Amino acid sequence: MTPDYRTLEEIRQRKQELRLSIDRDSQHISQLWGSLFVKREESTRGEFISSIISHSAFAIDAFLMVRKLRRNYTVLSQLFSRKKKLKR
């Protein structure tokens, strides 16, 4: 529904209101956009070593879990095993 404007002054006033609204929205969007790309803080040497140990423990745990599943469940074992070609 379009509003009824009777004078040029009403049109100018509405235009100014819309411009202010667009500027506020633009500032809000730019703040949100800036918060998406926040630079990470550099970690200290202790934090770096701690993260390496943590990631290593996770990798070892994942390896052991796959090995256990492969050994205990033959269906999964067949997925991981290489199929030999039959010679005819």
Side-chain angles (χ1 to χ4, degrees), residues 29-44:
I29 289 170
S30 66
Q31 287 174 350
L32 291 175
W33 185 259
S35 69
L36 286 175
F37 301 105
V38 176
K39 192 173 184 178
R40 284 182 33 189
E41 297 178 11
E42 292 189 27
S43 58
T44 63

Side-chain angles (χ1 to χ4, degrees), residues 23-68:
D23 288 343
R24 277 194 306 262
D25 291 344
S26 176
Q27 288 174 356
H28 182 68
I29 289 170
S30 66
Q31 287 174 350
L32 291 175
W33 185 259
S35 69
L36 286 175
F37 301 105
V38 176
K39 192 173 184 178
R40 284 182 33 189
E41 297 178 11
E42 292 189 27
S43 58
T44 63
R45 187 172 182 92
E47 290 173 339
F48 177 71
I49 293 171
S50 173
S51 71
I52 288 176
I53 292 171
S54 174
H55 288 104
S56 299
F58 178 75
I60 291 169
D61 186 43
F63 173 75
L64 292 174
M65 182 187 69
V66 168
R67 185 174 163 216
K68 181 179 179 180

